[in-house]
Amino acid sequence: MTKTPEPGPVPAAYDMIVVSNRLPVDYEEGPDGSTGWKSSPGGLVTALEPIMRAADGAWVGWAGVADREFDPFEHDGISIIPVPLTPDEIEDYYEGFSNDTLWPLYHDVIAPPSFHREWWDAYVRVNRRFAEAAARAAAEGAVVWVQDYQLQLVPRMLREQRPDLVIGFFNHIPFPAYGIYSQLPWRRQVLEGLLGADVIGFQRAADAGNFSRAIRRLFGYTTRGSTIEVPDPDGSVRRVVARHFPISIDAAGFEEIARRPDVQARSREIRESLGNPSTIMLGVDRLDYTKGIRHRMKAFGELLRDGRLSVEDVTLVQVASPSRERVETYRQLRDEIELTVGRLNGDQSTLGHQAIAYLHHGYPREEMVALYLAADVMLVTALRDGMNLVAKEYVACRFDNDGVLVLSEFTGASDELRQAVLVNPHDIEGLKDAIELAIGMPHRDRTRRMRSLRKRVRENDVANWSATFLETLTGTGRITPGVSEALALSLDALAGAERLLVALDFDGTLAPIVDRPDEARATPPARDALIRLAATPDTRVAIVSGRALASLVDVADPPEGALLSGSHGVELQLDGGSVTVDLRDTEREHLRRLTRIVEEAAATVDGAWVEFKPAGVALHTRRLSPHVGVALQQDARERVTRALRGITVRAGKSVIEFAVRSNDKGESLRRLRQHAGATAVLYVGDDVTDEDAFAALEDGDLGVKVGQGKSIAAHRVRSPEEVAELLGLLAERRATAVGDPPGWT
Ligand code: GDG
């Protein structure tokens, strides 16, 4: 325990803030009256610590004790900002609304949720307090990452107070299907609260899907793939990303503990103290009705009763760590479980062998790891679980590649850990068979499965989880060089599509950016791959550019049969020739005036030039120094908005475009998809204007952003050279998937 710190000089403004119900430190009072703060190291803290330190971050949360106000302080290099709660608020907001309304509701009403208006009032009040604390602490443009179901109203409250912030939210528990969610009397308010975020993260794709469906049902907002279009009060549309980011653990940290000789010795000691059974089965859970503890005991009890297992050979160790003991449902659950354990042990144990070793305690992490190492079979039989980290921890500890994981299909972890023995815990017969299978599994099969599970857990560890989330949120981060493994997997899936559309931006994507736009050319390998793709059956290639169509044709030298979209979709060249949008008389007049205004602005600075397009003009500033360019763009924007109404303005890289028609690359991509009759689409782009196209992607499509910058695309590569690599891979795999066309191998 560290001493209670003096309220020290804490910087007033932070660039990165995490907001969660509980702080990463607990306030503790020792028996001798001493007080202090103790780290409560969880996966989240481990993942965020380095990021928080580097970003000079602060953590906003409750200290775990009632009615105590603490000043902000530093703990292990992280600034801590405690938020107080009164005993009534703990009862109504935390134990009530969070743990007796939302928790059971979001876990598919395994237990009946209670709905009380005074609980809701407390939830709103406490959420506001958290939002205000974060708003006070955040620097201009800071990133605020809100955690979990206790704080779903914070994103919107925060955005209202501080529209400058970048706000993320991660939901650690499932998000239920609409039929269940809609029971919540405050269903609209909660969704509105969440939509205040820029990125809303879920554990599974199915959770994100349920969330988007609820948004469509209750608000009728358009959703495209992982993007939700939220109309803002000023008439503009804000894009919110709702996607899955499966959380994980500090895999290397767990393995390190598991390799310690003292921990291994302890694991042998555990085995001996249980009477050296040939099989130790283990369950580790918070004592919670979602975890399926009763189901696993029932299955085990029946296997013993029917003589399929014997207590001489098999022992079940059940760690049930105390949880939410003031909530009535949890008290009842504890009674029921303890009754079951008592009966089962009474019926089945012998003097020398206990059927179940039941432990209602919390243990240090080392002890947990020793238990994982001792367990031949790990039982995770949750009825509903956002992820279940215990499953991943077991795998991470088994550096000996041994041990069998029995895993419920109703955990988020089962989406990734496919080599576990997957079970439906409601099917007791199936569960019994799975337990028998696990106990009797030959060594070779165990090793093969465990190796593959370990690879998965190593690849997606918690650092990867937080980096991926924050990258999506802020658009910055390290991009894996080349085509990442995840992207290669997605390309594989795409290559099998029935009819594929491969659509790409040109400048900065197929072609490196150059000073003179008429000199831009696709890299030779990219062009080669495009030609091969265009010649593959059921595959269409499209180039989607902001350039005027004529200029695009000149520089892109598109392959035979390619579809083209120029001027952000105002001009399309499909199979039957070129289609240019006809302008109405008023639009023509607007275009004439717009052109004059922008030319006048451009004439004030040497090196700027104007590009004429069918429905607009573009002012290029790439030959100017950045600050002169930005000032000129600003000047042009002001001149245009003073003189004309209804003009669409798009800022790109060293270019600002004004159009009298509001077409964008998203609309263009939808036209192209329809024209090609595509069942799946790949879109690759580097510019902000490509975000409209990413937003138009649907489930099963693939978006790849080139380079840094905020993006809703699911994947990234670094440069046009890597785009070429990606296209080469796709061309190869597509050819294999549909069969090589005649004429080339
Ligand atoms: C929620 C979601 C999601 C348990 N007993 C002891 C102990 N533990 C540790 C485990 C594990 C953690 O607690 C439990 O995490 P789970 O993921 O299994 O479950 P929840 O607590 O319900 O967590 C869940 C998670 O959030 C993260 O997003 O996966 O779905 O419900 O790390 O090892 N640790 C120690 N002693 C114990 O006695 N040291």
Side-chain angles (χ1 to χ4, degrees):
M1 214 184 281
T2 60
K3 289 296 292 166
T4 303
E6 293 297 314
V10 181
Y14 299 91
D15 290 324
M16 162 93 197
I17 294 184
V18 171
V19 189
S20 63
N21 176 58
R22 286 296 290 272
L23 286 167
V25 287
D26 290 326
Y27 182 73
E28 290 196 349
E29 291 178 1
D32 56 348
S34 66
T35 58
W37 295 92
K38 190 167 174 267
S39 302
S40 54
L44 193 61
V45 189
T46 319
L48 296 181
E49 241 171 18
I51 300 170
M52 297 283 273
R53 286 213 186 91
D56 190 12
W59 201 304
V60 174
W62 175 48
V65 282
D67 257 350
R68 292 289 305 264
E69 299 231 9
F70 300 104
D71 287 318
F73 62 94
E74 289 262 332
H75 182 89
D76 275 354
I78 298 180
S79 300
I80 303 284
I81 304 180
V83 175
L85 293 181
T86 66
D88 281 352
E89 285 166 347
I90 295 169
E91 220 170 280
D92 293 350
Y93 144 79
Y94 179 62
E95 291 160 1
F97 199 77
S98 298
N99 288 337
D100 208 13
T101 305
L102 293 172
W103 179 271
L105 185 77
Y106 281 28
H107 285 88
D108 286 356
V109 297
I110 294 170
S114 311
F115 301 117
H116 296 295
R117 283 164 284 185
E118 61 278 22
W119 288 3
W120 165 252
D121 293 341
Y123 187 77
V124 176
R125 198 167 59 245
V126 171
N127 269 248
R128 179 153 301 123
R129 189 172 309 144
F130 275 80
E132 278 164 3
R136 271 195 305 275
E140 172 80 30
V143 173
V144 182
W145 191 2
V146 184
Q147 306 289 329
D148 228 357
Y149 64 105
Q150 303 93 346
L151 300 173
Q152 293 173 99
L153 308 180
V154 170
R156 176 172 181 174
M157 292 169 168
L158 204 48
R159 181 169 295 280
E160 279 169 359
Q161 294 180 49
R162 294 286 307 271
D164 59 299
L165 300 179
V166 178
I167 305 169
F169 180 89
F170 187 77
N171 194 52
H172 290 254
I173 66 174
F175 194 90
Y178 185 70
I180 289 175
Y181 179 74
S182 57
Q183 292 176 22
L184 184 67
W186 307 277
R187 57 196 187 187
R188 289 180 68 91
Q189 291 93 315
V190 167
L191 294 186
E192 277 164 1
L194 289 169
L195 285 178
D198 296 290
V199 175
I200 308 171
F202 295 92
Q203 302 277 29
R204 310 176 92 160
D207 298 320
N210 286 343
F211 175 75
S212 297
R213 267 188 294 281
I215 296 290
R216 287 199 294 275
R217 292 287 293 268
L218 286 172
F219 300 114
Y221 295 163
T222 306
T223 64
R224 300 180 203 286
S226 57
T227 316
I228 300 167
E229 297 182 356
V230 181
D232 266 354
D234 65 0
S236 59
V237 168
R238 204 162 55 82
R239 292 216 175 91
V240 174
V241 173
R243 234 186 64 196
H244 63 296
F245 298 87
I247 199 171
S248 193
I249 56 162
D250 174 16
F254 271 95
E255 178 165 342
E256 206 178 296
I257 301 177
R259 285 183 183 274
R260 269 167 42 185
D262 57 324
V263 173
Q264 289 177 36
R266 174 62 193 146
S267 136
R268 286 190 294 275
E269 201 176 288
I270 291 172
R271 188 161 214 113
E272 270 158 35
S273 68
L274 291 167
N276 273 320
S278 42
T279 303
I280 295 177
M281 297 204 292
L282 175 67
V284 171
D285 313 81
R286 272 187 312 97
L287 186 44
D288 194 295
Y289 49 83
T290 59
K291 303 289 182 185
I293 303 172
R294 277 174 301 184
H295 293 64
R296 108 182 42 134
M297 287 183 174
K298 189 168 177 59
F300 181 51
E302 287 187 17
L303 285 168
L304 291 174
R305 185 198 64 199
D306 299 345
R308 286 166 72 180
L309 298 181
S310 107
V311 286
E312 270 81 58
D313 302 327
V314 185
T315 299
L316 170 61
V317 178
Q318 176 65 56
V319 177
S321 31
S323 181
R324 306 177 189 170
E325 295 187 294
R326 288 158 46 118
V327 179
E328 182 53 32
T329 336
Y330 286 76
R331 288 205 198 119
Q332 278 175 19
L333 175 77
R334 181 173 176 194
D335 288 347
E336 283 171 33
I337 299 255
E338 293 184 354
L339 189 70
T340 310
V341 173
R343 281 220 179 113
L344 216 151
N345 275 340
D347 289 346
Q348 304 293 343
S349 300
T350 62
L351 273 179
H353 300 280
Q354 210 181 359
I356 302 187
Y358 170 77
L359 307 157
H360 184 249
H361 303 291
Y363 289 99
R365 180 171 286 185
E366 285 72 11
E367 182 72 0
M368 305 299 292
V369 172
L371 278 164
Y372 289 143
L373 286 177
D376 305 293
V377 174
M378 182 79 212
L379 294 179
V380 177
T381 56
L383 307 175
R384 202 18 113 208
D385 211 335
M387 178 53 60
N388 195 292
L389 297 181
V390 166
K392 292 189 171 180
E393 289 166 5
Y394 178 63
V395 167
C397 290
R398 299 310 302 241
F399 63 89
D400 57 353
N401 290 318
D402 207 350
V404 183
L405 173 64
V406 174
L407 180 62
S408 160
E409 293 164 19
F410 301 111
T411 62
S414 71
D415 278 5
E416 294 171 84
L417 304 182
R418 305 303 297 172
Q419 288 297 315
V421 176
L422 296 176
V423 290
N424 167 5
H426 297 281
D427 169 11
I428 299 294
E429 286 307 322
L431 184 52
K432 284 157 67 180
D433 292 345
I435 291 175
E436 257 198 323
L437 175 88
I439 292 175
M441 189 178 287
H443 183 261
R444 266 189 53 185
D445 290 358
R446 300 201 299 261
T447 312
R448 185 178 47 77
R449 284 178 187 250
M450 187 52 82
R451 271 188 213 285
S452 132
L453 292 171
R454 288 177 57 73
K455 181 161 181 284
R456 191 67 208 220
V457 172
R458 260 198 316 268
E459 274 165 11
N460 182 32
D461 68 357
V462 73
N464 188 47
W465 167 79
S466 55
T468 314
F469 185 95
L470 289 170
E471 240 171 76
T472 310
L473 187 61
T474 63
T476 54
R478 208 181 80 87
I479 306 174
T480 324
V483 174
S484 70
E485 202 165 315
L487 175 53
L489 277 174
S490 304
L491 284 173
D492 262 351
L494 201 73
E498 204 181 322
R499 284 184 303 282
L500 177 65
L501 173 65
V502 179
L504 303 103
D505 168 48
F506 183 73
D507 294 278
T509 300
L510 281 169
I513 299 276
V514 287
D515 272 348
R516 292 175 51 97
D518 51 340
E519 287 174 0
R521 293 290 178 273
T523 60
R527 206 180 119 63
D528 176 53
L530 275 192
I531 293 171
R532 285 159 60 202
L533 279 164
T536 308
D538 296 320
T539 311
R540 297 301 304 258
V541 166
I543 304 179
V544 179
S545 175
R547 283 179 185 253
L549 194 60
S551 139
L552 180 63
V553 173
D554 273 355
V555 290
D557 187 14
E560 181 84 20
L563 308 170
L564 299 177
S565 160
S567 306
H568 299 286
V570 173
E571 302 170 285
L572 283 179
Q573 184 174 302
L574 307 176
D575 295 320
S578 161
V579 183
T580 303
V581 174
D582 273 336
L583 296 186
R584 290 186 291 270
D585 285 349
T586 45
E587 287 173 331
R588 218 180 295 280
E589 171 57 18
H590 267 140
L591 182 58
R592 207 178 48 73
R593 290 173 58 196
L594 175 69
T595 308
R596 204 185 58 233
I597 296 166
V598 177
E599 279 183 320
E600 278 167 12
T604 61
V605 178
D606 273 352
W609 84 94
V610 179
E611 183 189 356
F612 304 99
K613 297 187 171 185
V617 287
L619 172 62
H620 291 272
T621 58
R622 76 177 71 156
R623 289 198 210 123
L624 312 181
S625 69
H627 72 275
V628 175
V630 169
L632 175 60
Q633 289 193 13
Q634 187 58 27
D635 175 42
R637 188 194 281 264
E638 280 167 15
R639 288 174 190 238
V640 169
T641 42
R642 256 200 318 269
L644 293 168
R645 288 184 158 270
I647 301 291
T648 302
V649 185
R650 262 187 221 105
K653 280 184 192 156
S654 304
V655 60
I656 185 163
E657 295 209 34
F658 303 92
V660 296
R661 269 280 167 99
S662 67
N663 286 47
D664 64 38
K665 288 183 174 178
E667 280 166 46
S668 165
L669 188 61
R670 281 193 278 280
R671 282 282 306 273
L672 293 170
R673 175 202 293 277
Q674 198 183 23
H675 178 80
T679 54
V681 175
L682 165 70
Y683 188 87
V684 191
D686 74 311
D687 203 4
V688 273
T689 60
D690 293 307
E691 292 303 305
D692 294 316
F694 292 132
L697 294 178
E698 297 173 6
D699 283 348
D701 293 347
L702 183 60
V704 182
K705 161 95 176 167
V706 185
Q708 298 283 8
K710 197 171 166 180
S711 178
I712 56 174
H715 295 275
R716 285 177 195 259
V717 293
R718 294 180 303 176
S719 61
E721 285 70 28
E722 291 186 355
V723 173
E725 190 183 332
L726 174 165
L727 287 174
L729 257 174
L730 180 64
E732 198 178 291
R733 293 182 186 182
R734 180 68 178 160
T736 316
V738 298
D740 286 356
W744 52 280
T745 52

